[in-house]
Amino acid sequence: MMQGLAERFERAAASAPPLRFVDVALRGLGQVMFQDNPLTGLLFLAAIVWGAVATGQLFVAAAGVLALVVATATALALGVDRAAWRAGLYGFNGVLTGLALATFLTPGPGLIVFVVLGAALSVVATLATTRWLAPHSIPGLTFPFVVTTWLFLLASHGFAGVSGLSAGTVTAPAVIVASDPLRVADFVAGVALSISQVFLKDSLVAALLFLAGLAVSSVSAALLAIAGAIIAVVVAHLFGAESDLVTGGLLGFSPVLTAVALGTVFVPPSPRSLAIAALATLVTVIAQAALNAALAPVALPAMTMPFVLVTWLFLLARPAEAAKG
């Protein structure tokens, strides 16, 4: 039944340009977690809206949607590869940029301008990153989102019309206190929120919707997201990370992406590759803490840069024949 609906939707989109645009935008949402599936994107959108409404910040969801539309339209206007555009590969960095800017900057006209410009710039950054990395046969991942967001967050300190919020909710405190015992409820919350924080959402319901979106496209990706979150929570707790960061999923969202990327997306699944993915996920937890500490003096969140750096490192370490596969 699901396959039949997908086929009918694809036929309708093929004959209606506005519907095709919606299809591509939804695929862009799905590509945040590597899924070229409009239903995944629709469930992700529902999760984003739910998370925004639950915290009384509907403008964050609106900024994400605006950025998604702008990025998708910008890519089309720039004449990017049509197959890549249809797969949503120019939308996911844009939507993340919009969500992040609306999360860390106060609402206002200046924020709207930043979101539009940031979304458009994320497409240019995606094109540049793709060309830069092409000789190495590795993907740009969310690097364009990170550098674009960092640029605008830093710029907010120089403009009176755009004020920034403290990045303390996503960076390590100056003084690390001993972590509290990890109770079952806290463990479950930490695992779930590690998934929802990929989209900067602090919501258990949103986490379930994100998992559902993954599962309708790839059960293995959903399972690996859970596994990555579990590794992140356990490792961060054992290392004595500050408890609120662990249970709030703020040390787990990058490891979740690493687990999915290296466990099933860019490397064929096998016992060996899954073991390597688990190691990379563990390393991402350490990288997240390291970048949190390094960026704290400039009040910048690490975003998904730990995932990007660790995934690049492990993909570059592949044997040449594996890299070609």
Side-chain angles (χ1 to χ4, degrees), residues 230-290:
I230 290 173
I231 291 173
V233 170
V234 171
V235 170
H237 176 71
L238 290 178
F239 283 168
E242 201 277 323
S243 293
D244 287 345
L245 295 180
V246 177
T247 58
L250 295 172
L251 293 175
F253 57 91
S254 274
V256 164
L257 290 172
T258 301
V260 177
L262 294 178
T264 187
V265 177
F266 300 113
V267 180
S270 69
R272 181 179 181 181
S273 67
L274 290 175
I276 293 174
L279 172 62
T281 301
L282 188 157
V283 173
T284 306
V285 180
I286 297 172
Q288 185 79 50

Coordinates of all heavy atoms in Angstrom, one line a residue, residues 230-290:
I230 N 22.4 5.4 22.2 CA 22.7 4.6 23.4 C 24.2 4.7 23.7 O 24.6 5.0 24.9 CB 22.3 3.2 23.2 CG1 20.8 3.1 23.2 CG2 22.9 2.3 24.3 CD1 20.3 1.7 22.9
I231 N 25.1 4.6 22.7 CA 26.5 4.7 22.9 C 26.9 6.0 23.4 O 27.7 6.2 24.3 CB 27.2 4.4 21.5 CG1 27.1 2.9 21.1 CG2 28.7 4.8 21.6 CD1 27.6 2.6 19.7
A232 N 26.3 7.1 22.8 CA 26.6 8.4 23.3 C 26.3 8.7 24.7 O 27.1 9.2 25.5 CB 25.9 9.4 22.4
V233 N 25.1 8.2 25.1 CA 24.6 8.5 26.5 C 25.5 7.7 27.5 O 25.9 8.2 28.5 CB 23.1 8.1 26.7 CG1 22.7 8.1 28.1 CG2 22.3 9.1 25.9
V234 N 25.7 6.4 27.2 CA 26.5 5.6 28.1 C 28.0 6.1 28.2 O 28.5 6.3 29.3 CB 26.5 4.1 27.6 CG1 27.5 3.3 28.4 CG2 25.1 3.5 27.7
V235 N 28.6 6.4 27.1 CA 30.0 6.8 27.1 C 30.1 8.2 27.8 O 31.0 8.4 28.6 CB 30.5 6.9 25.6 CG1 31.9 7.6 25.6 CG2 30.7 5.5 25.1
A236 N 29.2 9.1 27.4 CA 29.3 10.4 28.1 C 29.1 10.3 29.6 O 29.8 11.0 30.3 CB 28.2 11.4 27.4
H237 N 28.2 9.5 30.0 CA 28.0 9.3 31.4 C 29.2 8.7 32.1 O 29.6 9.2 33.2 CB 26.7 8.5 31.7 CG 26.5 8.2 33.2 ND1 26.1 9.2 34.0 CD2 26.7 7.1 33.9 CE1 26.0 8.6 35.3 NE2 26.3 7.4 35.2
L238 N 29.7 7.6 31.5 CA 30.9 7.0 32.1 C 32.1 7.9 32.2 O 32.9 7.8 33.1 CB 31.2 5.7 31.3 CG 30.2 4.6 31.4 CD1 30.7 3.4 30.5 CD2 30.1 4.1 32.8
F239 N 32.2 8.8 31.2 CA 33.3 9.8 31.3 C 33.1 10.9 32.2 O 34.0 11.7 32.5 CB 33.6 10.3 29.9 CG 34.3 9.4 29.0 CD1 34.4 9.6 27.6 CD2 35.0 8.2 29.5 CE1 35.1 8.8 26.8 CE2 35.6 7.4 28.6 CZ 35.7 7.6 27.3
G240 N 31.9 11.0 32.8 CA 31.6 12.0 33.8 C 31.1 13.3 33.2 O 31.4 14.4 33.8
A241 N 30.5 13.3 32.1 CA 30.0 14.5 31.5 C 28.9 15.1 32.4 O 28.2 14.4 33.1 CB 29.4 14.2 30.1
E242 N 28.7 16.4 32.3 CA 27.7 17.1 33.1 C 26.3 16.4 32.8 O 25.9 16.3 31.6 CB 27.7 18.6 32.8 CG 27.0 19.4 33.8 CD 25.5 19.5 33.7 OE1 25.1 19.5 32.5 OE2 24.8 19.5 34.7
S243 N 25.5 16.1 33.8 CA 24.3 15.3 33.6 C 23.3 15.9 32.7 O 22.7 15.2 31.9 CB 23.7 15.0 35.0 OG 24.6 14.2 35.8
D244 N 23.1 17.2 32.8 CA 22.1 17.8 32.0 C 22.4 17.7 30.5 O 21.5 17.6 29.6 CB 21.9 19.3 32.4 CG 21.1 19.4 33.7 OD1 20.5 18.4 34.1 OD2 21.2 20.5 34.3
L245 N 23.7 17.8 30.2 CA 24.1 17.6 28.8 C 23.8 16.2 28.3 O 23.4 16.0 27.1 CB 25.6 17.9 28.6 CG 26.0 19.4 28.9 CD1 27.5 19.5 28.7 CD2 25.3 20.4 28.0
V246 N 24.0 15.2 29.1 CA 23.8 13.8 28.8 C 22.4 13.5 28.6 O 21.9 13.0 27.5 CB 24.4 12.9 29.8 CG1 24.1 11.4 29.4 CG2 25.9 13.1 30.0
T247 N 21.5 13.9 29.6 CA 20.1 13.5 29.5 C 19.4 14.4 28.5 O 18.3 14.1 28.1 CB 19.5 13.6 30.9 OG1 19.7 15.0 31.4 CG2 20.1 12.7 31.9
G248 N 19.9 15.6 28.2 CA 19.3 16.5 27.3 C 19.6 16.2 25.8 O 19.2 16.8 24.9
G249 N 20.4 15.1 25.6 CA 20.8 14.7 24.2 C 21.8 15.6 23.6 O 22.1 15.5 22.4
L250 N 22.5 16.5 24.4 CA 23.3 17.5 23.8 C 24.7 17.0 23.5 O 25.5 17.7 22.9 CB 23.4 18.8 24.7 CG 22.0 19.5 24.8 CD1 22.1 20.6 25.8 CD2 21.6 20.1 23.4
L251 N 25.0 15.8 23.9 CA 26.3 15.2 23.5 C 26.0 14.0 22.6 O 26.9 13.3 22.3 CB 27.0 14.7 24.8 CG 27.6 15.8 25.7 CD1 28.2 15.2 27.0 CD2 28.6 16.7 25.0
G252 N 24.8 13.8 22.2 CA 24.4 12.6 21.5 C 24.0 12.8 20.0 O 24.0 11.9 19.2
F253 N 23.6 14.1 19.6 CA 23.1 14.2 18.3 C 24.1 14.0 17.2 O 23.8 13.4 16.1 CB 22.4 15.6 18.1 CG 23.3 16.8 18.4 CD1 24.0 17.4 17.4 CD2 23.4 17.3 19.6 CE1 24.8 18.5 17.6 CE2 24.1 18.4 19.9 CZ 24.9 19.0 18.9
S254 N 25.4 14.4 17.4 CA 26.4 14.1 16.4 C 26.7 12.7 16.3 O 26.9 12.1 15.2 CB 27.7 15.0 16.7 OG 27.6 16.3 16.1
P255 N 26.9 12.0 17.5 CA 27.1 10.5 17.4 C 26.0 9.8 16.7 O 26.2 8.8 16.0 CB 27.2 10.1 18.9 CG 27.7 11.3 19.5 CD 27.1 12.5 18.8
V256 N 24.7 10.2 16.8 CA 23.6 9.6 16.1 C 23.8 9.6 14.6 O 23.7 8.7 13.9 CB 22.3 10.3 16.5 CG1 21.2 9.9 15.5 CG2 21.9 9.8 17.9
L257 N 24.2 10.8 14.1 CA 24.5 11.0 12.7 C 25.7 10.1 12.2 O 25.6 9.5 11.1 CB 24.7 12.5 12.4 CG 23.5 13.4 12.5 CD1 23.9 14.8 12.3 CD2 22.5 13.0 11.4
T258 N 26.7 10.1 13.0 CA 27.9 9.3 12.7 C 27.5 7.8 12.6 O 27.9 7.1 11.6 CB 29.0 9.4 13.8 OG1 29.4 10.8 13.8 CG2 30.2 8.6 13.4
A259 N 26.7 7.3 13.5 CA 26.3 5.9 13.5 C 25.5 5.6 12.3 O 25.8 4.5 11.6 CB 25.5 5.6 14.8
V260 N 24.6 6.4 11.9 CA 23.8 6.2 10.7 C 24.7 6.2 9.4 O 24.6 5.4 8.5 CB 22.6 7.1 10.6 CG1 21.8 6.9 9.3 CG2 21.7 7.0 11.8
A261 N 25.5 7.3 9.4 CA 26.3 7.5 8.2 C 27.3 6.4 7.9 O 27.4 5.8 6.8 CB 27.1 8.8 8.3
L262 N 28.0 5.9 9.0 CA 29.0 4.9 8.8 C 28.5 3.5 9.0 O 29.2 2.5 8.6 CB 30.2 5.2 9.8 CG 31.0 6.5 9.5 CD1 32.1 6.6 10.6 CD2 31.6 6.5 8.1
G263 N 27.3 3.4 9.5 CA 26.7 2.1 9.7 C 25.9 1.5 8.6 O 25.8 0.3 8.4
T264 N 25.4 2.4 7.8 CA 24.5 1.9 6.7 C 24.5 2.8 5.4 O 24.2 2.3 4.4 CB 23.1 1.8 7.2 OG1 22.3 1.2 6.2 CG2 22.5 3.1 7.5
V265 N 24.9 4.1 5.5 CA 24.7 5.0 4.4 C 25.9 4.9 3.4 O 25.8 4.7 2.2 CB 24.4 6.4 4.8 CG1 24.3 7.3 3.6 CG2 23.1 6.5 5.6
F266 N 27.1 5.2 4.0 CA 28.3 5.3 3.1 C 29.2 4.1 3.1 O 30.2 4.1 2.4 CB 29.1 6.6 3.5 CG 28.3 7.9 3.4 CD1 28.0 8.6 4.6 CD2 27.9 8.3 2.2 CE1 27.2 9.8 4.5 CE2 27.2 9.5 2.1 CZ 26.8 10.2 3.2
V267 N 28.9 3.2 4.0 CA 29.7 1.9 4.1 C 28.7 0.8 4.1 O 27.7 0.8 4.9 CB 30.5 1.9 5.3 CG1 31.3 0.6 5.4 CG2 31.5 3.1 5.4
P268 N 28.8 -0.2 3.2 CA 27.9 -1.4 3.2 C 27.9 -2.1 4.6 O 29.0 -2.3 5.1 CB 28.5 -2.3 2.1 CG 29.3 -1.4 1.2 CD 29.9 -0.3 2.1
P269 N 26.8 -2.4 5.1 CA 26.7 -3.0 6.5 C 27.3 -4.3 6.5 O 27.2 -5.2 5.6 CB 25.2 -3.1 6.7 CG 24.6 -2.1 5.8 CD 25.4 -2.0 4.6
S270 N 28.1 -4.6 7.5 CA 28.8 -5.9 7.8 C 29.2 -5.8 9.2 O 29.3 -4.8 9.8 CB 30.0 -6.1 6.8 OG 31.0 -5.2 7.2
P271 N 29.5 -7.0 9.8 CA 30.0 -7.0 11.2 C 31.2 -6.1 11.4 O 31.3 -5.3 12.4 CB 30.3 -8.4 11.4 CG 29.4 -9.2 10.6 CD 29.3 -8.4 9.3
R272 N 32.1 -6.1 10.4 CA 33.3 -5.2 10.5 C 32.9 -3.7 10.5 O 33.4 -2.9 11.3 CB 34.3 -5.6 9.4 CG 35.6 -4.8 9.5 CD 36.5 -5.2 8.4 NE 37.8 -4.5 8.4 CZ 38.8 -4.6 7.6 NH1 38.6 -5.5 6.6 NH2 39.9 -3.9 7.7
S273 N 32.1 -3.4 9.5 CA 31.8 -2.0 9.3 C 30.9 -1.5 10.5 O 31.1 -0.3 10.9 CB 31.0 -1.8 8.0 OG 29.7 -2.4 8.0
L274 N 30.1 -2.3 11.1 CA 29.3 -1.9 12.2 C 30.2 -1.7 13.4 O 30.0 -0.8 14.2 CB 28.2 -2.9 12.5 CG 27.1 -3.0 11.5 CD1 26.2 -4.2 11.9 CD2 26.3 -1.7 11.5
A275 N 31.2 -2.5 13.6 CA 32.2 -2.3 14.7 C 33.0 -1.0 14.5 O 33.2 -0.2 15.5 CB 33.2 -3.5 14.7
I276 N 33.3 -0.7 13.3 CA 34.0 0.6 13.0 C 33.1 1.7 13.2 O 33.5 2.8 13.8 CB 34.5 0.6 11.5 CG1 35.7 -0.5 11.4 CG2 35.1 2.0 11.1 CD1 36.1 -0.7 9.9
A277 N 31.8 1.6 12.8 CA 30.9 2.7 13.1 C 30.7 2.9 14.6 O 30.6 4.1 15.0 CB 29.5 2.3 12.4
A278 N 30.7 1.8 15.4 CA 30.6 2.0 16.8 C 31.8 2.7 17.4 O 31.6 3.6 18.2 CB 30.5 0.6 17.5
L279 N 33.0 2.4 16.9 CA 34.2 3.1 17.3 C 34.1 4.6 16.9 O 34.4 5.5 17.7 CB 35.4 2.5 16.7 CG 36.7 3.2 16.9 CD1 37.1 3.3 18.4 CD2 37.9 2.6 16.1
A280 N 33.7 4.9 15.7 CA 33.5 6.2 15.3 C 32.5 7.0 16.1 O 32.7 8.2 16.4 CB 33.2 6.3 13.8
T281 N 31.4 6.3 16.4 CA 30.4 7.0 17.3 C 31.0 7.4 18.6 O 30.7 8.5 19.1 CB 29.2 6.0 17.4 OG1 28.7 5.7 16.1 CG2 28.1 6.7 18.3
L282 N 31.8 6.5 19.2 CA 32.4 6.7 20.5 C 33.3 7.9 20.4 O 33.3 8.8 21.2 CB 33.2 5.5 21.0 CG 33.7 5.5 22.4 CD1 34.0 4.1 22.9 CD2 35.1 6.3 22.5
V283 N 34.1 8.0 19.3 CA 35.1 9.1 19.1 C 34.3 10.4 18.9 O 34.7 11.4 19.3 CB 35.9 8.8 17.9 CG1 36.8 10.0 17.5 CG2 36.8 7.6 18.1
T284 N 33.1 10.3 18.3 CA 32.3 11.5 18.1 C 31.9 12.1 19.4 O 31.8 13.4 19.5 CB 31.1 11.2 17.2 OG1 31.5 10.6 16.0 CG2 30.4 12.5 16.8
V285 N 31.6 11.3 20.4 CA 31.2 11.8 21.7 C 32.4 12.6 22.3 O 32.2 13.7 22.8 CB 30.9 10.6 22.7 CG1 30.5 11.2 24.1 CG2 29.8 9.8 22.1
I286 N 33.6 12.1 22.1 CA 34.8 12.8 22.6 C 35.0 14.1 21.8 O 35.3 15.2 22.4 CB 36.0 11.9 22.5 CG1 35.8 10.7 23.4 CG2 37.3 12.7 22.9 CD1 36.9 9.7 23.2
A287 N 34.8 14.0 20.5 CA 34.9 15.2 19.7 C 33.9 16.3 20.0 O 34.2 17.5 20.0 CB 34.8 14.8 18.2
Q288 N 32.7 15.8 20.3 CA 31.6 16.8 20.7 C 32.0 17.6 22.0 O 31.9 18.8 22.0 CB 30.3 16.1 21.0 CG 29.1 17.0 21.3 CD 28.5 17.6 20.0 OE1 28.3 16.9 19.0 NE2 28.3 18.9 20.0
A289 N 32.5 16.8 23.0 CA 32.9 17.5 24.2 C 34.1 18.4 23.9 O 34.2 19.5 24.5 CB 33.3 16.5 25.3
A290 N 35.0 18.0 23.1 CA 36.2 18.8 22.8 C 35.9 20.1 22.1 O 36.3 21.2 22.5 CB 37.2 18.0 21.9

